[in-house]
Amino acid sequence: MSEEGTRFCPYCGIKLEKPYWAHIEKVHAEKYAKKETWAQLYSDYKKIGMDEKNCLLVISELFNATAEEIKSFLKNKKVL
């Protein structure tokens, strides 16, 4: 089990520093661009206390997608 707050890259396993997604965006860009990333980002943002509206807004800006598209995807994945 990892230490509280310690994260590892789900693709290459290295220990990540904050911001966690900077490594994935830079080193694993092809995976970062996929919609599946939205679910993990949403979960991470909720864990740090962001409300749903702000989570969707941040993800929509990062991925150039509408909040409605993201919300629909997250509902289909049963994250929302």
Side-chain angles (χ1 to χ4, degrees), residues 6-71:
T6 301
R7 297 284 177 101
F8 296 90
C9 176
Y11 306 112
C12 67
I14 70 165
K15 184 177 177 181
L16 300 174
E17 302 295 327
K18 290 183 180 181
Y20 301 124
W21 291 97
H23 164 80
I24 295 170
E25 180 181 22
K26 182 178 179 183
V27 178
H28 308 289
E30 74 287 347
K31 291 179 170 69
Y32 180 81
K34 294 183 180 179
K35 288 183 179 182
E36 283 73 26
T37 303
W38 297 353
Q40 186 62 51
L41 277 173
Y42 181 83
S43 296
D44 287 348
Y45 291 151
K46 288 295 284 183
K47 285 178 187 172
I48 63 168
M50 288 177 73
D51 63 20
E52 179 182 309
K53 181 180 176 183
N54 284 325
C55 291
L56 296 174
L57 177 64
V58 170
I59 295 169
S60 70
E61 290 178 0
L62 286 172
F63 290 90
N64 196 27
T66 67
E68 293 78 24
E69 178 185 5
I70 296 163
K71 189 172 186 174

